[in-house]
Amino acid sequence: MTTGSLLAVDLVIAVLTAAGWLGAGSAAVARRRPLALALAALALLATLARAITIIGLARAGWWFAGEKVLVTGPLSLAAVAVAGPRLLPVPGDIRSVAVPLLFAGYATSSALFVTVLHGYPASAGAGLLAVAGTVTATAVSWRAVGARPSRAMSRAALVVAVGALVTGTGLTVVPAAAPAVPHDHGYRDARTADEPTRRFTLTAGTATVRADGRDVAAWAFNAQVPGPELTATVGDVMQVTLRNRDIGRGVTLHWHGYDVPNSQDGVPGVTQAAVLPGQEFVYRFRADQAGTYWYHTHSVSDVGVRMGLYGVLVVRPGPTAGLDVTVPVHTLVGRPLPAPRTERVEAGQPARLRLINTDSTTHRYALAGTAFRVAAIDGVDLEGPTSLVDTAVLIPAGGRYDLVFTAPATPVALFVDGRVVYSTGAVSTSTGDWPVLDPLDYGAAVAVPWSRFDRSLTLVLDRGLDLHGLLPRYAHTVNGAAAPDIPPQVVRLGDVVRFTIVNRFQVVHPWHLHGHHVLVLSRDGEPAAGSPLWLDSFDVRPGEVWEVAFRADNPGVWANHCHNLAHADAGMTLHLMYS
Ligand code: C2O
Ligand code: CU
């Protein structure tokens, strides 16, 4: 079983345990003896099963099991120890065991809350709050059931609950270390003289555009979605003037995956101020990496990108022969882009399809009618890519794959999630059951350039209750905190840095570090076995543990976030900072 499914099963069993005890307690209050006994038996069985899932999770990594071992374990044992013995032998009046059964229900429910609302890392504060909740709820039920605890008991319960509540709140609600991300610092001048310069102007504004046969209200660069395709040849200097006509929430340009100097990275509040209506900003950087990239606004990026503020950036090594097509896939107001395109291609021509996923979720691509190779991922060429047929690829949010093939005499079609977006003629194949390529296993291996790491950083991705803002929210968290309260991670120029990225939650997180490509070392402990993979966007699925590494060679303050932009917006953003 994968760790992801184990996490899901564990959660279901946790709910069953708590519901079993609570149900048994309530049935006992109502004197429904058989029901109470059946539910208590279910709770006991579920507790046993839970021991197994928790041990399994601990073996997959402490990140998955920390609070379950430290908080759930003791509370579940307390539940069994208090409720279990009272049921043997079964008492004549089942109502006499209602309170112990309810206690077991409260204990296991609070443990469940700790997992769902607090998660990783386990903290004494959360544990104490769980104890306070359990004791208080038990004391209240005791009175309600009318079994009247002795005075001494009531006092003791009150003292324990208040003590746990005070200490727990103190330990939990204290804000995390304030992030020291500098804002609007001086922009480094990237001026360069006498080099061939590619000049572009992108004007952001509201616009009505055509998507899938319908006019939709969008935010667009130069009134088109996607924005103009920016192309260059390696060695060119890019000079892009960004103007904002009427996007009230501001715009910037971020060169997704393009490792530009920090001052040109386009992150508002970090590398520049957002460009407001009537303002402009000029970006300049050298196009020194060939490959398929894209640009998008980074100001309220969840809304901005979804509404259409994105476009393609392609840097070619030199003149290319044959067919070279970009396919930026996007969902604009629920409508798929781009419109399907068909063109005639002469047999024998070399062809390259540059697939770009500009959405916030994974897409499945299938190229039918020809053998092909994956020549590059995230702009970087692969080593020794082998020929593939009838194989699909999954591209994470923000990611790019370049597929190359020699045009056959018969038609070829590219399907995205079952829809044809590009073809050279009619192809009728179903691609839905094709196997999916695992890039960690594709192409020719080359030894990892580093054997030791100067710094190891961990990112544990989860969800949790965030109480630091004005309104409480159920945030997407990193190491137990949500933006803007996640402390930045610090590296020194020249460090070889290893990142361990762990997904504890039930959704995919497409991870994206700005300013650097990272080399994949392993996934779930399995070393990457194919071509070196230098990625800027990769899906960390539920229960997965990725190890990646990079050299800290591009100083600045870099955003490091989930590229499901709604998640980034809901807390899952931190920064990598050079000391
Ligand atoms: Cu494509 Cu910070 O993002
Ligand atoms: Cu995410």
Side-chain angles (χ1 to χ4, degrees), residues 466-517:
D466 174 27
L467 300 169
H468 293 154
L470 283 177
L471 290 174
R473 59 174 178 166
Y474 194 36
H476 287 277
T477 59
V478 180
N479 298 340
D485 296 311
I486 311 173
Q489 295 180 317
V490 182
V491 297
R492 247 177 327 157
L493 185 61
D495 278 355
V496 177
V497 184
R498 177 172 53 191
F499 260 130
T500 303
I501 307 175
V502 180
N503 185 355
R504 263 181 59 110
F505 199 72
Q506 305 297 333
V507 294
V508 177
H509 294 298
W511 204 256
H512 175 55
L513 168 65
H514 286 209
H516 310 73
H517 276 75

Short mmCIF file of all heavy atoms in Angstrom, two decimals, residues 466-517:
data_model
loop_
_atom_site.label_atom_id
_atom_site.label_comp_id
_atom_site.label_asym_id
_atom_site.label_seq_id
_atom_site.Cartn_x
_atom_site.Cartn_y
_atom_site.Cartn_z
N ASP A 466 -5.07 27.94 10.84
CA ASP A 466 -4.15 29.07 10.98
C ASP A 466 -4.90 30.20 11.69
O ASP A 466 -5.89 30.71 11.17
CB ASP A 466 -3.67 29.51 9.60
CG ASP A 466 -2.83 30.79 9.67
OD1 ASP A 466 -2.22 31.03 10.72
OD2 ASP A 466 -2.81 31.54 8.68
N LEU A 467 -4.42 30.54 12.88
CA LEU A 467 -5.13 31.54 13.69
C LEU A 467 -4.42 32.88 13.70
O LEU A 467 -4.76 33.77 14.47
CB LEU A 467 -5.26 31.02 15.13
CG LEU A 467 -6.03 29.71 15.27
CD1 LEU A 467 -5.89 29.14 16.67
CD2 LEU A 467 -7.50 29.92 14.94
N HIS A 468 -3.40 33.01 12.85
CA HIS A 468 -2.60 34.24 12.96
C HIS A 468 -3.18 35.43 12.22
O HIS A 468 -2.83 36.56 12.48
CB HIS A 468 -1.16 33.97 12.48
CG HIS A 468 -0.45 33.03 13.41
ND1 HIS A 468 0.59 32.22 13.01
CD2 HIS A 468 -0.66 32.74 14.71
CE1 HIS A 468 1.00 31.49 14.04
NE2 HIS A 468 0.24 31.78 15.08
N GLY A 469 -4.06 35.20 11.26
CA GLY A 469 -4.64 36.31 10.51
C GLY A 469 -5.85 36.88 11.24
O GLY A 469 -6.11 36.58 12.40
N LEU A 470 -6.59 37.71 10.54
CA LEU A 470 -7.78 38.30 11.14
C LEU A 470 -8.86 37.25 11.34
O LEU A 470 -9.53 37.21 12.36
CB LEU A 470 -8.32 39.42 10.23
CG LEU A 470 -7.52 40.73 10.30
CD1 LEU A 470 -8.10 41.73 9.32
CD2 LEU A 470 -7.55 41.28 11.72
N LEU A 471 -9.01 36.40 10.32
CA LEU A 471 -10.00 35.34 10.40
C LEU A 471 -9.27 34.01 10.45
O LEU A 471 -8.29 33.83 9.75
CB LEU A 471 -10.89 35.35 9.15
CG LEU A 471 -11.85 36.53 8.99
CD1 LEU A 471 -12.53 36.46 7.64
CD2 LEU A 471 -12.87 36.50 10.12
N PRO A 472 -9.74 33.07 11.25
CA PRO A 472 -9.11 31.75 11.23
C PRO A 472 -9.32 31.12 9.86
O PRO A 472 -10.35 31.35 9.22
CB PRO A 472 -9.87 30.96 12.30
CG PRO A 472 -10.84 31.88 12.91
CD PRO A 472 -10.88 33.16 12.14
N ARG A 473 -8.34 30.38 9.37
CA ARG A 473 -8.55 29.70 8.09
C ARG A 473 -7.91 28.32 8.15
O ARG A 473 -7.00 28.08 8.94
CB ARG A 473 -7.96 30.51 6.93
CG ARG A 473 -6.47 30.76 7.10
CD ARG A 473 -5.86 31.43 5.88
NE ARG A 473 -4.44 31.67 6.14
CZ ARG A 473 -3.56 32.00 5.21
NH1 ARG A 473 -3.94 32.14 3.96
NH2 ARG A 473 -2.29 32.18 5.52
N TYR A 474 -8.42 27.43 7.29
CA TYR A 474 -7.87 26.08 7.19
C TYR A 474 -6.81 26.15 6.10
O TYR A 474 -7.10 25.98 4.92
CB TYR A 474 -8.99 25.11 6.84
CG TYR A 474 -8.61 23.66 7.05
CD1 TYR A 474 -7.78 23.26 8.10
CD2 TYR A 474 -9.09 22.68 6.20
CE1 TYR A 474 -7.45 21.94 8.29
CE2 TYR A 474 -8.76 21.34 6.38
CZ TYR A 474 -7.94 20.98 7.44
OH TYR A 474 -7.59 19.67 7.62
N ALA A 475 -5.58 26.44 6.51
CA ALA A 475 -4.53 26.79 5.56
C ALA A 475 -3.83 25.55 5.01
O ALA A 475 -3.89 24.48 5.59
CB ALA A 475 -3.52 27.69 6.24
N HIS A 476 -3.17 25.75 3.87
CA HIS A 476 -2.18 24.77 3.40
C HIS A 476 -0.87 25.18 4.03
O HIS A 476 -0.43 26.32 3.87
CB HIS A 476 -2.09 24.80 1.87
CG HIS A 476 -3.29 24.18 1.22
ND1 HIS A 476 -3.40 22.82 1.04
CD2 HIS A 476 -4.43 24.71 0.74
CE1 HIS A 476 -4.55 22.54 0.46
NE2 HIS A 476 -5.21 23.68 0.26
N THR A 477 -0.25 24.27 4.76
CA THR A 477 0.88 24.65 5.61
C THR A 477 2.18 24.00 5.16
O THR A 477 2.19 22.97 4.48
CB THR A 477 0.61 24.23 7.06
OG1 THR A 477 0.40 22.81 7.10
CG2 THR A 477 -0.62 24.93 7.62
N VAL A 478 3.27 24.63 5.55
CA VAL A 478 4.60 24.06 5.37
C VAL A 478 5.25 24.05 6.76
O VAL A 478 5.31 25.10 7.41
CB VAL A 478 5.45 24.90 4.41
CG1 VAL A 478 6.84 24.28 4.24
CG2 VAL A 478 4.76 25.05 3.07
N ASN A 479 5.70 22.88 7.20
CA ASN A 479 6.29 22.73 8.53
C ASN A 479 5.39 23.33 9.62
O ASN A 479 5.86 23.99 10.55
CB ASN A 479 7.69 23.35 8.58
CG ASN A 479 8.63 22.66 7.61
OD1 ASN A 479 8.37 21.54 7.18
ND2 ASN A 479 9.69 23.34 7.21
N GLY A 480 4.09 23.17 9.47
CA GLY A 480 3.15 23.57 10.51
C GLY A 480 2.79 25.05 10.50
O GLY A 480 2.07 25.51 11.38
N ALA A 481 3.26 25.82 9.52
CA ALA A 481 2.93 27.24 9.49
C ALA A 481 2.40 27.61 8.11
O ALA A 481 2.59 26.87 7.14
CB ALA A 481 4.15 28.08 9.84
N ALA A 482 1.72 28.75 8.04
CA ALA A 482 1.18 29.21 6.76
C ALA A 482 1.72 30.60 6.47
O ALA A 482 2.03 31.37 7.39
CB ALA A 482 -0.34 29.25 6.83
N ALA A 483 1.83 30.94 5.17
CA ALA A 483 2.30 32.26 4.79
C ALA A 483 1.38 33.31 5.39
O ALA A 483 0.18 33.11 5.43
CB ALA A 483 2.32 32.39 3.27
N PRO A 484 1.87 34.45 5.85
CA PRO A 484 3.28 34.88 5.76
C PRO A 484 4.11 34.50 6.98
O PRO A 484 5.13 35.13 7.24
CB PRO A 484 3.14 36.40 5.66
CG PRO A 484 1.94 36.70 6.52
CD PRO A 484 1.02 35.51 6.40
N ASP A 485 3.70 33.49 7.74
CA ASP A 485 4.39 33.19 8.99
C ASP A 485 5.40 32.05 8.88
O ASP A 485 5.89 31.57 9.89
CB ASP A 485 3.36 32.84 10.08
CG ASP A 485 2.46 34.02 10.39
OD1 ASP A 485 3.00 35.12 10.59
OD2 ASP A 485 1.23 33.85 10.39
N ILE A 486 5.66 31.57 7.66
CA ILE A 486 6.63 30.48 7.55
C ILE A 486 8.03 31.10 7.53
O ILE A 486 8.31 31.94 6.68
CB ILE A 486 6.42 29.66 6.26
CG1 ILE A 486 4.95 29.26 6.12
CG2 ILE A 486 7.33 28.44 6.25
CD1 ILE A 486 4.61 28.59 4.79
N PRO A 487 8.88 30.73 8.48
CA PRO A 487 10.21 31.34 8.50
C PRO A 487 10.96 31.01 7.22
O PRO A 487 10.87 29.89 6.73
CB PRO A 487 10.90 30.68 9.70
CG PRO A 487 9.82 29.98 10.46
CD PRO A 487 8.69 29.73 9.53
N PRO A 488 11.68 31.98 6.63
CA PRO A 488 12.42 31.69 5.41
C PRO A 488 13.54 30.69 5.71
O PRO A 488 14.02 30.63 6.83
CB PRO A 488 13.00 33.05 5.01
CG PRO A 488 12.85 33.94 6.18
CD PRO A 488 11.80 33.38 7.07
N GLN A 489 13.92 29.93 4.71
CA GLN A 489 15.04 29.01 4.88
C GLN A 489 16.27 29.69 4.30
O GLN A 489 16.20 30.32 3.26
CB GLN A 489 14.72 27.69 4.19
CG GLN A 489 13.54 27.00 4.89
CD GLN A 489 13.15 25.67 4.27
OE1 GLN A 489 13.11 25.54 3.06
NE2 GLN A 489 12.85 24.69 5.11
N VAL A 490 17.39 29.56 5.00
CA VAL A 490 18.57 30.35 4.65
C VAL A 490 19.69 29.45 4.13
O VAL A 490 19.96 28.39 4.69
CB VAL A 490 19.05 31.14 5.88
CG1 VAL A 490 20.25 32.01 5.51
CG2 VAL A 490 17.93 32.01 6.42
N VAL A 491 20.31 29.88 3.03
CA VAL A 491 21.47 29.16 2.49
C VAL A 491 22.59 30.18 2.27
O VAL A 491 22.36 31.38 2.29
CB VAL A 491 21.12 28.48 1.15
CG1 VAL A 491 20.05 27.42 1.34
CG2 VAL A 491 20.67 29.50 0.10
N ARG A 492 23.81 29.66 2.05
CA ARG A 492 24.93 30.54 1.73
C ARG A 492 25.29 30.33 0.26
O ARG A 492 25.14 29.22 -0.28
CB ARG A 492 26.13 30.19 2.58
CG ARG A 492 26.51 31.29 3.58
CD ARG A 492 27.65 30.81 4.42
NE ARG A 492 27.49 29.37 4.59
CZ ARG A 492 28.47 28.52 4.87
NH1 ARG A 492 29.68 28.95 5.01
NH2 ARG A 492 28.24 27.22 5.02
N LEU A 493 25.78 31.38 -0.37
CA LEU A 493 26.20 31.29 -1.77
C LEU A 493 27.22 30.16 -1.89
O LEU A 493 28.17 30.08 -1.12
CB LEU A 493 26.82 32.62 -2.21
CG LEU A 493 27.20 32.70 -3.69
CD1 LEU A 493 26.00 32.54 -4.58
CD2 LEU A 493 27.90 34.03 -3.99
N GLY A 494 26.99 29.25 -2.83
CA GLY A 494 27.93 28.15 -3.06
C GLY A 494 27.51 26.86 -2.38
O GLY A 494 28.01 25.79 -2.72
N ASP A 495 26.59 26.92 -1.42
CA ASP A 495 26.14 25.70 -0.75
C ASP A 495 25.54 24.71 -1.74
O ASP A 495 24.84 25.11 -2.68
CB ASP A 495 25.00 26.03 0.24
CG ASP A 495 25.51 26.54 1.58
OD1 ASP A 495 26.74 26.56 1.78
OD2 ASP A 495 24.67 26.93 2.41
N VAL A 496 25.77 23.43 -1.49
CA VAL A 496 24.96 22.42 -2.16
C VAL A 496 23.87 22.05 -1.16
O VAL A 496 24.15 21.65 -0.03
CB VAL A 496 25.80 21.18 -2.55
CG1 VAL A 496 24.91 20.12 -3.17
CG2 VAL A 496 26.90 21.59 -3.51
N VAL A 497 22.63 22.27 -1.59
CA VAL A 497 21.51 22.18 -0.65
C VAL A 497 20.64 20.98 -1.00
O VAL A 497 20.33 20.75 -2.18
CB VAL A 497 20.64 23.45 -0.72
CG1 VAL A 497 19.53 23.42 0.31
CG2 VAL A 497 21.50 24.69 -0.56
N ARG A 498 20.26 20.23 0.00
CA ARG A 498 19.32 19.14 -0.22
C ARG A 498 17.98 19.50 0.42
O ARG A 498 17.93 19.92 1.57
CB ARG A 498 19.85 17.85 0.40
CG ARG A 498 18.86 16.69 0.25
CD ARG A 498 19.44 15.38 0.68
NE ARG A 498 19.98 15.49 2.04
CZ ARG A 498 20.74 14.56 2.60
NH1 ARG A 498 21.05 13.46 1.95
NH2 ARG A 498 21.20 14.73 3.83
N PHE A 499 16.95 19.32 -0.39
CA PHE A 499 15.59 19.54 0.10
C PHE A 499 14.90 18.19 0.26
O PHE A 499 14.94 17.38 -0.65
CB PHE A 499 14.77 20.28 -0.96
CG PHE A 499 14.63 21.75 -0.73
CD1 PHE A 499 14.91 22.64 -1.75
CD2 PHE A 499 14.18 22.25 0.48
CE1 PHE A 499 14.77 24.00 -1.57
CE2 PHE A 499 14.03 23.61 0.67
CZ PHE A 499 14.33 24.49 -0.35
N THR A 500 14.24 17.98 1.38
CA THR A 500 13.36 16.82 1.51
C THR A 500 11.95 17.37 1.55
O THR A 500 11.64 18.23 2.39
CB THR A 500 13.67 16.04 2.80
OG1 THR A 500 15.05 15.67 2.76
CG2 THR A 500 12.81 14.79 2.91
N ILE A 501 11.10 16.94 0.63
CA ILE A 501 9.75 17.47 0.56
C ILE A 501 8.77 16.33 0.80
O ILE A 501 8.81 15.31 0.10
CB ILE A 501 9.50 18.16 -0.79
CG1 ILE A 501 10.62 19.19 -1.02
CG2 ILE A 501 8.14 18.82 -0.83
CD1 ILE A 501 10.57 19.85 -2.36
N VAL A 502 7.94 16.50 1.81
CA VAL A 502 7.06 15.44 2.28
C VAL A 502 5.62 15.91 2.18
O VAL A 502 5.31 17.00 2.63
CB VAL A 502 7.36 15.14 3.77
CG1 VAL A 502 6.47 14.03 4.29
CG2 VAL A 502 8.82 14.81 3.98
N ASN A 503 4.75 15.11 1.58
CA ASN A 503 3.34 15.48 1.51
C ASN A 503 2.51 14.62 2.45
O ASN A 503 2.31 13.43 2.20
CB ASN A 503 2.83 15.35 0.07
CG ASN A 503 1.40 15.85 -0.08
OD1 ASN A 503 0.76 16.22 0.91
ND2 ASN A 503 0.90 15.87 -1.29
N ARG A 504 2.02 15.22 3.50
CA ARG A 504 1.22 14.51 4.50
C ARG A 504 -0.27 14.58 4.21
O ARG A 504 -1.07 13.98 4.92
CB ARG A 504 1.41 15.21 5.87
CG ARG A 504 2.42 14.61 6.78
CD ARG A 504 2.43 15.44 8.05
NE ARG A 504 1.13 15.47 8.70
CZ ARG A 504 0.84 14.88 9.85
NH1 ARG A 504 1.76 14.19 10.49
NH2 ARG A 504 -0.35 14.99 10.39
N PHE A 505 -0.65 15.37 3.22
CA PHE A 505 -2.09 15.59 3.03
C PHE A 505 -2.63 14.84 1.81
O PHE A 505 -1.88 14.25 1.05
CB PHE A 505 -2.39 17.09 2.97
CG PHE A 505 -3.83 17.38 3.24
CD1 PHE A 505 -4.36 17.24 4.52
CD2 PHE A 505 -4.68 17.76 2.21
CE1 PHE A 505 -5.70 17.48 4.76
CE2 PHE A 505 -6.02 18.00 2.46
CZ PHE A 505 -6.53 17.85 3.73
N GLN A 506 -3.93 14.89 1.61
CA GLN A 506 -4.60 14.07 0.58
C GLN A 506 -4.66 14.72 -0.79
O GLN A 506 -5.41 14.26 -1.65
CB GLN A 506 -6.03 13.72 1.01
CG GLN A 506 -6.13 13.04 2.36
CD GLN A 506 -5.43 11.70 2.38
OE1 GLN A 506 -5.33 11.06 1.34
NE2 GLN A 506 -4.93 11.29 3.52
N VAL A 507 -3.93 15.81 -1.02
CA VAL A 507 -3.97 16.43 -2.35
C VAL A 507 -2.55 16.56 -2.89
O VAL A 507 -1.59 16.58 -2.12
CB VAL A 507 -4.64 17.82 -2.34
CG1 VAL A 507 -6.11 17.71 -2.00
CG2 VAL A 507 -3.94 18.75 -1.36
N VAL A 508 -2.44 16.67 -4.22
CA VAL A 508 -1.14 16.81 -4.87
C VAL A 508 -0.62 18.23 -4.68
O VAL A 508 -1.39 19.19 -4.80
CB VAL A 508 -1.29 16.53 -6.38
CG1 VAL A 508 0.03 16.73 -7.10
CG2 VAL A 508 -1.83 15.13 -6.60
N HIS A 509 0.66 18.36 -4.40
CA HIS A 509 1.27 19.69 -4.34
C HIS A 509 2.38 19.79 -5.39
O HIS A 509 3.43 19.19 -5.23
CB HIS A 509 1.83 19.98 -2.95
CG HIS A 509 0.78 20.07 -1.90
ND1 HIS A 509 -0.22 21.02 -1.94
CD2 HIS A 509 0.55 19.33 -0.80
CE1 HIS A 509 -1.01 20.85 -0.88
NE2 HIS A 509 -0.58 19.84 -0.18
N PRO A 510 2.13 20.55 -6.47
CA PRO A 510 3.18 20.75 -7.48
C PRO A 510 4.20 21.76 -6.94
O PRO A 510 3.88 22.93 -6.82
CB PRO A 510 2.41 21.32 -8.67
CG PRO A 510 1.17 21.92 -8.09
CD PRO A 510 0.84 21.17 -6.84
N TRP A 511 5.39 21.29 -6.59
CA TRP A 511 6.32 22.18 -5.90
C TRP A 511 7.15 22.99 -6.87
O TRP A 511 7.54 22.50 -7.93
CB TRP A 511 7.21 21.40 -4.91
CG TRP A 511 7.66 22.37 -3.88
CD1 TRP A 511 8.90 22.94 -3.79
CD2 TRP A 511 6.86 22.98 -2.86
NE1 TRP A 511 8.90 23.87 -2.76
CE2 TRP A 511 7.67 23.91 -2.18
CE3 TRP A 511 5.52 22.83 -2.46
CZ2 TRP A 511 7.20 24.68 -1.12
CZ3 TRP A 511 5.05 23.60 -1.42
CH2 TRP A 511 5.89 24.51 -0.76
N HIS A 512 7.43 24.24 -6.53
CA HIS A 512 8.13 25.16 -7.44
C HIS A 512 9.03 26.10 -6.66
O HIS A 512 8.55 26.94 -5.91
CB HIS A 512 7.09 25.96 -8.25
CG HIS A 512 7.69 27.02 -9.12
ND1 HIS A 512 8.68 26.76 -10.05
CD2 HIS A 512 7.46 28.36 -9.21
CE1 HIS A 512 9.00 27.89 -10.68
NE2 HIS A 512 8.28 28.87 -10.18
N LEU A 513 10.34 25.95 -6.86
CA LEU A 513 11.32 26.87 -6.27
C LEU A 513 11.73 27.86 -7.35
O LEU A 513 12.07 27.46 -8.46
CB LEU A 513 12.54 26.08 -5.77
CG LEU A 513 13.77 26.93 -5.39
CD1 LEU A 513 13.47 27.84 -4.19
CD2 LEU A 513 14.96 26.02 -5.07
N HIS A 514 11.70 29.14 -7.04
CA HIS A 514 12.14 30.15 -8.01
C HIS A 514 13.67 30.19 -8.09
O HIS A 514 14.36 29.89 -7.12
CB HIS A 514 11.67 31.53 -7.57
CG HIS A 514 10.22 31.80 -7.76
ND1 HIS A 514 9.71 33.06 -8.00
CD2 HIS A 514 9.14 30.97 -7.76
CE1 HIS A 514 8.39 33.00 -8.12
NE2 HIS A 514 8.02 31.74 -7.97
N GLY A 515 14.16 30.61 -9.25
CA GLY A 515 15.58 30.97 -9.38
C GLY A 515 16.56 29.81 -9.51
O GLY A 515 17.74 30.05 -9.70
N HIS A 516 16.09 28.57 -9.37
CA HIS A 516 16.99 27.42 -9.43
C HIS A 516 16.24 26.24 -10.03
O HIS A 516 15.05 26.07 -9.78
CB HIS A 516 17.44 26.98 -8.03
CG HIS A 516 17.97 28.09 -7.18
ND1 HIS A 516 17.15 29.06 -6.61
CD2 HIS A 516 19.23 28.40 -6.80
CE1 HIS A 516 17.90 29.91 -5.92
NE2 HIS A 516 19.16 29.54 -6.03
N HIS A 517 16.95 25.42 -10.80
CA HIS A 517 16.43 24.10 -11.12
C HIS A 517 16.98 23.15 -10.06
O HIS A 517 18.11 23.31 -9.62
CB HIS A 517 16.90 23.65 -12.50
CG HIS A 517 16.04 24.17 -13.61
ND1 HIS A 517 16.10 25.48 -14.03
CD2 HIS A 517 15.09 23.55 -14.37
CE1 HIS A 517 15.22 25.66 -15.03
NE2 HIS A 517 14.60 24.50 -15.26
#
